[in-house]
Amino acid sequence: MDANTLIDINQQKQLLAKTISMPAGYLDDYHQHPWHQIIFPVSGLLQSEIDKRRVVVPHNALLYIPAGTPHKSVAFTHTEFSSLYLNPASKVTFCHAPKSCLVTPFFKELVLLLLKQADAHDNKATENLLRVLNDQIIAAANYDIPLLKPKDRRTLAIFEGLIDQPATRLTLAQWALQVGASERTLSRLFAKEFNQSFRAWRQHLRLVLSLELLSTNCSIQNIALNLGFASDAAYISAFKALFLNTPHKYRQFMLQTKTARSLSYCQ
């Protein structure tokens, strides 16, 4: 059942939850919901476009989308995320602007509790938890990981090539020969669309691709080498600068979230 149908038949509730799974490459084109939505990643990689911004939503973040806000998402890999839908007619008045939030341990536990609470009968406790949720959204640090997927067909060809072989060491000049553009043109395209050099964008892409590998048993060293980093130390340093955490701590955070979600379904 799609989210808006679920909302239509549960207008009396304050809170609904739904797990959404997308195959790699799936595009959930522009749509909107009559209730507020929270996107909480479980596995995979999701890029969302909302309010003229495109952001990647990693596993230590969530995306808050106010009711009636058009948005679309694309799955880089097979992706699963939990969605909370919050009734704007409830007694809790939520934020009016979309926000990508850094998730603290307390914030994560609150969201997991609400995902579980959505299956229970509404009560005063649910309302109180929703008030705390709104406070957490307001207080959370903005956490925008910029877009990665290009629109121009030539830079898109480079993106697709790196998705298939992220460790490839082709220079921009070598890519230029493959995609039918000059090195200068490609350099200008990356600067225009991403405000980054090709090398910075490529590292950014490799770091985001590493998130999926961190959900496997692959060692940190092998992840670094498989993605083209010179060493695990170089990978760890770059990862921490972008994701505000070490790969090891990020992996722990992600695995704890998966375990908690599994347990909530079993109870």
Side-chain angles (χ1 to χ4, degrees):
M1 184 183 299
D2 69 77
N4 286 353
T5 301
L6 188 65
I7 288 169
D8 284 343
I9 62 177
N10 287 281
Q11 290 293 328
Q12 77 286 357
K13 292 183 70 68
Q14 297 183 83
L15 173 71
L16 293 169
K18 180 178 174 64
T19 297
I20 297 171
S21 183
M22 294 181 177
Y26 182 84
L27 171 65
D28 192 12
D29 215 343
Y30 275 112
H31 62 284
Q32 57 187 346
H33 304 295
W35 287 15
H36 311 305
Q37 181 184 17
I38 286 177
I39 294 176
F40 188 61
V42 175
S43 64
L45 295 173
L46 189 73
Q47 178 174 287
S48 294
E49 185 166 334
I50 177 173
D51 196 27
K52 299 181 181 179
R53 292 163 44 235
R54 282 183 285 168
V55 296
V56 175
V57 188
H59 299 82
N60 58 340
L62 62 75
L63 183 61
Y64 167 74
I65 305 171
T69 304
H71 59 282
K72 70 175 181 179
S73 298
V74 60
F76 285 169
T77 63
H78 181 82
T79 299
E80 183 178 310
F81 60 91
S82 295
S83 273
L84 279 174
Y85 299 95
L86 315 168
N87 193 339
S90 73
K91 295 180 181 179
V92 181
T93 302
F94 280 89
C95 309
H96 298 295
K99 186 175 182 181
S100 184
C101 303
L102 180 64
V103 176
T104 63
F106 173 79
F107 200 173
K108 181 187 75 170
E109 292 302 322
L110 174 63
V111 173
L112 291 172
L113 180 58
L114 283 165
L115 286 166
K116 181 180 176 181
Q117 189 77 10
D119 296 327
H121 293 295
D122 280 354
N123 52 35
K124 187 65 176 178
T126 300
E127 182 182 321
N128 291 337
L129 287 172
L130 290 175
R131 292 187 190 282
V132 178
L133 176 66
N134 187 49
D135 290 342
Q136 287 295 303
I137 293 171
I138 293 170
N142 285 294
Y143 190 47
D144 286 356
I145 305 299
L147 75 151
L148 295 167
K149 189 172 183 179
K151 291 184 176 180
D152 185 274
R153 62 174 180 80
R154 294 158 293 185
T155 48
L156 182 59
I158 297 174
F159 170 85
E160 291 171 346
L162 286 171
I163 289 288
D164 290 336
Q165 294 183 300
T168 183
R169 296 186 180 279
L170 291 179
T171 65
L172 192 58
Q174 290 169 322
W175 278 114
L177 292 174
Q178 290 200 15
V179 303
S182 69
E183 181 179 3
R184 179 177 293 182
T185 295
L186 290 179
S187 180
R188 187 173 66 249
L189 286 169
F190 279 107
K192 178 181 178 181
E193 189 162 359
F194 302 105
N195 197 29
Q196 287 182 313
S197 68
F198 164 70
R199 292 187 66 179
W201 171 83
R202 181 179 61 185
Q203 175 169 288
H204 186 161
L205 178 60
R206 286 170 170 169
L207 289 169
V208 170
L209 291 176
S210 78
L211 301 183
E212 181 69 8
L213 294 176
L214 286 170
S215 67
T216 70
N217 292 326
C218 192
S219 69
I220 301 297
Q221 182 179 36
N222 284 338
I223 290 174
L225 296 178
N226 290 340
L227 292 174
F229 286 90
S231 67
D232 53 345
Y235 165 59
I236 292 169
S237 177
F239 188 98
K240 190 172 182 180
L242 181 62
F243 294 115
L244 310 179
N245 234 327
T246 65
H248 177 69
K249 288 184 178 179
Y250 188 95
R251 170 177 269 169
Q252 288 182 317
F253 187 98
M254 183 166 50
L255 292 176
Q256 288 167 359
T257 300
K258 284 185 179 180
T259 301
R261 288 293 294 125
S262 299
L263 289 174
S264 70
Y265 281 122
C266 293
Q267 293 172 352

